[in-house]
Amino acid sequence: MGAHAEARDLRETAHAAQVRELTAAGVLVDPAWRAAFEAVPRHVFVPYFWTGRGAGHERLWGEDPDPERRARWLRGVYTDAPLATRLRDGELVSSSSQPSLMAKMLNALDVRDGHDVLEIGTGSGYNAALLCHRLGDEHVTTVDLDEEITESARTHLAALGYRPTVVTGDGARGCPSRAPFDRILVTCTLPRVPLAWLGQCRPGARILAPLSTGLIALTVRDAEFAEGRFLHTAAYFVPLRGATATPPAEPGVPHGLPYELVENERFQFMLLLTAGALHPREALDLWRGEGRPARERFGVTVTPEGQWSWLDDPQGPYVWPLGAAQSPDTA
């Protein structure tokens, strides 16, 4: 067997093993999405990635002349983990999302045959390829701010025969020329939901987006109203970039709170979601008083007059302005 054939077999074996692992983990229950993951190999979209932090960054590459480094690249690609695919001045600007999280998000998107989907955050193109396999190229539009990212994604997609509409532009503005959409899938963290997206959706459309370390699933009524709850899944993504994007609030580390709560993921979610509206001590008292609520009890309402997060009931007693300008008080 030649070296190229051996390398191909290793990649195919690793790809098949990952699909089996995701299926065994219960995140590929839909046969259509399982077929998509079987058909789309991740390594095509991640020809290299970065490991480590700060000055310790290391680039692993599928064509590295060192066989051990190639092996590390392949193991990394088919590990269920996010991979840093593009750095700028040492800062992460694009990544390939964790495959199990991608599968959960695609399942939660609840697509149907014939649906038109807008993806905000093209990244490597892997997610767009999965959508193309499920829906067909003509139903998939993907947007990213960075021309280098979109050009690279087009190349990766074309290598497997996928040709969705890939747009270089500000994702916060959506893609009005391709509207209306039945679904919007967002792969970057938001501080607020861009109102422009609602006007590009058909009534009843679904927007699935990372917000406050969670995933909000909004149902769009019309161009002026959307509402929904968070899924139970945690989600950490690169922030949305662009002229119309607002930097996400930083939760900080509140002083005077018990260490185990500062480190508690669900409490941190609430703390960030209510940033600027509740002081950390107020958030802690409410969180304890309401039985340490999980993400699914929180929701978001979007209107032209404002955006609000809420606990249990959008008309209930616990409603806060979303994406308030200030961060939680750390004093």
Side-chain angles (χ1 to χ4, degrees), residues 118 171-176 184 190-201 207 218 220-227 240 244-246 300-308 322:
L118 172 63
R173 300 184 190 277
C175 188
I184 295 181
L190 307 175
R192 291 165 61 85
V193 178
L195 200 61
W197 295 350
L198 274 60
Q200 295 173 34
C201 284
I207 297 174
L218 297 169
V220 179
R221 186 185 70 192
D222 52 38
E224 297 192 338
F225 186 88
E227 190 170 80
L240 176 68
T244 58
T246 305
V300 167
T301 302
V302 179
T303 74
E305 289 73 39
Q307 301 187 21
W308 297 272
L322 184 64

Coordinates of all heavy atoms in Angstrom, one line a residue, residues 118 171-176 184 190-201 207 218 220-227 240 244-246 300-308 322:
L118 N -29.9 30.3 7.0 CA -28.8 31.3 7.0 C -27.9 30.9 8.2 O -28.4 30.8 9.3 CB -29.3 32.7 7.2 CG -28.3 33.8 7.4 CD1 -27.4 33.9 6.2 CD2 -29.0 35.1 7.7
G171 N -22.3 39.7 9.6 CA -23.3 38.8 9.9 C -24.5 39.4 10.7 O -25.6 38.9 10.6
A172 N -24.2 40.5 11.4 CA -25.2 41.1 12.2 C -26.3 41.8 11.3 O -27.4 42.0 11.7 CB -24.6 42.2 13.1
R173 N -25.9 42.0 10.0 CA -26.9 42.5 9.0 C -27.6 41.4 8.3 O -28.5 41.7 7.5 CB -26.1 43.4 8.0 CG -25.4 44.6 8.6 CD -24.8 45.4 7.5 NE -23.9 46.4 8.0 CZ -24.2 47.6 8.5 NH1 -25.5 47.9 8.5 NH2 -23.4 48.5 9.0
G174 N -27.3 40.2 8.6 CA -27.9 39.1 7.9 C -27.5 39.0 6.4 O -26.4 39.4 6.1
C175 N -28.4 38.6 5.6 CA -28.2 38.5 4.1 C -29.5 38.8 3.4 O -30.2 37.9 3.0 CB -27.6 37.2 3.7 SG -27.1 37.1 2.0
P176 N -29.9 40.1 3.4 CA -31.3 40.4 2.8 C -31.5 39.9 1.4 O -32.6 39.6 1.0 CB -31.3 41.9 2.9 CG -29.9 42.4 3.2 CD -29.2 41.3 3.8
I184 N -32.3 30.4 11.1 CA -31.0 31.1 11.2 C -30.2 30.4 12.3 O -30.6 30.2 13.4 CB -31.1 32.6 11.5 CG1 -31.8 33.3 10.4 CG2 -29.8 33.2 11.8 CD1 -32.0 34.8 10.6
L190 N -23.4 36.1 21.0 CA -24.1 37.4 20.8 C -24.3 38.1 22.2 O -24.5 37.4 23.2 CB -25.5 37.3 20.2 CG -25.6 36.5 18.9 CD1 -27.1 36.4 18.6 CD2 -24.9 37.2 17.8
P191 N -24.3 39.4 22.3 CA -24.7 40.1 23.5 C -26.2 40.4 23.4 O -26.9 40.5 24.4 CB -23.9 41.4 23.5 CG -23.6 41.7 22.0 CD -23.6 40.3 21.3
R192 N -26.7 40.6 22.2 CA -28.1 40.9 21.8 C -28.4 40.3 20.5 O -27.5 40.0 19.7 CB -28.4 42.4 21.8 CG -28.3 43.1 23.2 CD -28.3 44.6 23.0 NE -29.4 45.2 22.4 CZ -30.5 45.5 23.0 NH1 -30.7 45.3 24.3 NH2 -31.6 46.0 22.3
V193 N -29.7 40.2 20.1 CA -30.1 39.6 18.8 C -30.2 40.7 17.8 O -31.1 41.6 18.1 CB -31.4 38.8 19.0 CG1 -31.8 38.2 17.6 CG2 -31.2 37.7 20.0
P194 N -29.5 40.7 16.8 CA -29.7 41.8 15.7 C -31.1 41.8 15.2 O -31.6 40.8 14.7 CB -28.7 41.4 14.7 CG -27.6 40.7 15.4 CD -28.3 39.9 16.4
L195 N -31.8 42.9 15.3 CA -33.2 43.0 14.9 C -33.3 42.8 13.4 O -34.4 42.3 12.9 CB -33.7 44.4 15.2 CG -35.2 44.5 15.3 CD1 -35.8 43.6 16.4 CD2 -35.6 46.0 15.6
A196 N -32.3 43.0 12.6 CA -32.3 42.8 11.1 C -32.7 41.4 10.8 O -33.3 41.1 9.8 CB -31.0 43.2 10.5
W197 N -32.3 40.4 11.6 CA -32.5 39.0 11.3 C -34.0 38.7 11.3 O -34.5 37.9 10.5 CB -31.8 38.1 12.4 CG -30.3 38.2 12.3 CD1 -29.6 38.8 11.4 CD2 -29.5 37.6 13.3 NE1 -28.2 38.6 11.7 CE2 -28.1 37.9 12.9 CE3 -29.7 36.9 14.5 CZ2 -27.0 37.5 13.6 CZ3 -28.5 36.4 15.2 CH2 -27.2 36.8 14.8
L198 N -34.8 39.4 12.2 CA -36.2 39.1 12.3 C -36.9 39.4 11.0 O -37.8 38.7 10.5 CB -36.9 39.8 13.5 CG -36.8 39.2 14.8 CD1 -35.4 38.9 15.3 CD2 -37.6 40.0 15.8
G199 N -36.5 40.5 10.4 CA -37.1 41.0 9.2 C -36.8 40.1 8.0 O -37.4 40.2 6.9
Q200 N -35.8 39.3 8.1 CA -35.4 38.4 7.0 C -35.9 36.9 7.2 O -35.5 36.0 6.5 CB -33.8 38.4 6.9 CG -33.3 39.7 6.5 CD -31.8 39.8 6.6 OE1 -31.1 38.8 6.3 NE2 -31.2 41.0 6.9
C201 N -36.8 36.8 8.2 CA -37.3 35.4 8.5 C -38.8 35.3 8.1 O -39.5 36.3 8.1 CB -37.3 35.2 10.0 SG -35.6 34.8 10.6
I207 N -34.6 30.9 15.2 CA -33.2 31.4 15.3 C -32.6 30.6 16.5 O -33.1 30.7 17.6 CB -33.2 32.9 15.5 CG1 -33.8 33.6 14.4 CG2 -31.8 33.4 15.8 CD1 -34.0 35.1 14.6
L218 N -35.2 30.9 19.5 CA -36.2 31.9 19.3 C -37.2 31.5 18.2 O -36.7 31.1 17.1 CB -35.6 33.3 19.0 CG -34.7 33.9 20.0 CD1 -34.0 35.2 19.4 CD2 -35.5 34.4 21.3
V220 N -39.7 33.2 15.6 CA -40.0 34.6 15.0 C -41.5 34.7 14.6 O -41.9 33.9 13.8 CB -39.1 34.8 13.8 CG1 -39.4 36.2 13.2 CG2 -37.6 34.7 14.2
R221 N -42.2 35.6 15.3 CA -43.6 35.8 14.9 C -43.7 36.7 13.6 O -44.5 36.4 12.7 CB -44.3 36.5 16.0 CG -45.8 36.6 15.8 CD -46.5 37.4 16.9 NE -46.1 38.8 16.9 CZ -46.3 39.7 17.9 NH1 -46.9 39.3 19.0 NH2 -45.9 41.0 17.7
D222 N -42.9 37.8 13.6 CA -42.9 38.7 12.5 C -41.6 39.5 12.6 O -40.7 39.2 13.4 CB -44.1 39.5 12.4 CG -44.4 40.3 13.7 OD1 -43.4 40.7 14.4 OD2 -45.6 40.4 14.1
A223 N -41.5 40.6 11.8 CA -40.3 41.4 11.8 C -40.1 42.2 13.1 O -39.0 42.8 13.2 CB -40.3 42.4 10.6
E224 N -41.0 42.1 14.0 CA -40.9 42.9 15.2 C -41.1 42.2 16.5 O -41.1 42.7 17.5 CB -42.0 44.1 15.1 CG -41.7 45.1 14.0 CD -42.6 46.3 14.1 OE1 -43.6 46.2 14.9 OE2 -42.2 47.3 13.5
F225 N -41.1 40.8 16.4 CA -41.2 40.1 17.6 C -40.7 38.7 17.5 O -41.0 37.9 16.5 CB -42.7 40.0 18.0 CG -42.9 39.3 19.4 CD1 -42.9 40.1 20.5 CD2 -43.1 37.9 19.5 CE1 -43.1 39.5 21.8 CE2 -43.3 37.3 20.7 CZ -43.3 38.1 21.9
A226 N -39.8 38.3 18.4 CA -39.3 36.9 18.5 C -39.2 36.6 20.0 O -38.8 37.5 20.8 CB -38.0 36.7 17.8
E227 N -39.4 35.3 20.4 CA -39.3 34.9 21.8 C -39.0 33.4 21.9 O -39.4 32.7 21.0 CB -40.6 35.2 22.5 CG -40.6 35.1 24.0 CD -41.9 35.7 24.6 OE1 -42.9 34.9 24.6 OE2 -41.9 36.8 25.0
L240 N -19.4 37.5 18.0 CA -19.8 38.1 16.7 C -19.0 39.4 16.4 O -18.9 40.2 17.3 CB -21.3 38.5 16.7 CG -21.8 39.2 15.4 CD1 -21.8 38.2 14.2 CD2 -23.2 39.7 15.7
T244 N -21.7 46.4 13.2 CA -22.9 46.6 14.0 C -22.9 45.7 15.2 O -23.9 45.6 15.9 CB -24.1 46.2 13.1 OG1 -23.9 44.9 12.6 CG2 -24.2 47.2 11.9
A245 N -21.8 44.9 15.4 CA -21.8 44.0 16.6 C -21.4 44.8 17.8 O -20.6 45.8 17.8 CB -20.8 42.9 16.3
T246 N -22.0 44.4 19.0 CA -21.6 44.9 20.3 C -20.9 43.9 21.1 O -21.3 42.7 21.1 CB -22.9 45.3 21.0 OG1 -23.7 46.2 20.2 CG2 -22.6 46.0 22.4
V300 N -35.8 34.7 26.4 CA -35.4 36.0 25.8 C -36.6 36.5 24.9 O -37.2 35.7 24.2 CB -34.1 36.0 25.0 CG1 -34.0 37.3 24.1 CG2 -32.9 35.8 25.9
T301 N -36.9 37.8 25.0 CA -37.9 38.4 24.1 C -37.2 39.5 23.3 O -36.5 40.3 23.9 CB -39.1 39.0 24.9 OG1 -39.7 37.9 25.7 CG2 -40.1 39.6 24.0
V302 N -37.5 39.6 22.0 CA -36.9 40.6 21.1 C -37.9 41.4 20.5 O -38.8 40.8 19.8 CB -36.0 39.9 20.1 CG1 -35.3 40.9 19.1 CG2 -34.9 39.0 20.7
T303 N -37.9 42.7 20.6 CA -38.8 43.6 19.9 C -38.0 44.9 19.5 O -36.9 45.1 20.0 CB -39.9 44.1 20.8 OG1 -39.4 45.0 21.8 CG2 -40.6 42.9 21.6
P304 N -38.5 45.7 18.6 CA -37.9 47.0 18.3 C -37.7 47.9 19.5 O -36.8 48.7 19.6 CB -38.8 47.6 17.2 CG -39.5 46.5 16.7 CD -39.7 45.5 17.8
E305 N -38.6 47.8 20.5 CA -38.6 48.6 21.7 C -37.5 48.2 22.7 O -37.1 49.0 23.6 CB -39.9 48.7 22.4 CG -41.0 49.4 21.6 CD -41.5 48.6 20.4 OE1 -41.6 47.4 20.5 OE2 -41.7 49.3 19.3
G306 N -37.0 47.0 22.6 CA -36.0 46.5 23.5 C -36.0 45.0 23.5 O -36.8 44.3 22.9
Q307 N -35.0 44.5 24.2 CA -34.8 43.0 24.4 C -34.7 42.7 25.8 O -34.0 43.4 26.6 CB -33.5 42.6 23.6 CG -33.6 42.9 22.1 CD -32.5 42.3 21.3 OE1 -31.8 41.3 21.7 NE2 -32.2 42.9 20.1
W308 N -35.3 41.6 26.2 CA -35.3 41.3 27.7 C -35.0 39.8 27.8 O -35.4 39.0 27.0 CB -36.7 41.6 28.2 CG -37.1 43.0 28.2 CD1 -36.9 44.0 29.1 CD2 -37.8 43.6 27.1 NE1 -37.4 45.2 28.7 CE2 -37.9 45.0 27.5 CE3 -38.3 43.2 25.9 CZ2 -38.6 45.9 26.7 CZ3 -39.0 44.2 25.1 CH2 -39.1 45.5 25.5
L322 N -31.8 43.0 28.3 CA -30.8 42.2 27.8 C -29.6 43.0 27.2 O -29.8 44.0 26.6 CB -31.3 41.3 26.6 CG -30.4 40.2 26.1 CD1 -30.0 39.2 27.1 CD2 -31.0 39.6 24.8

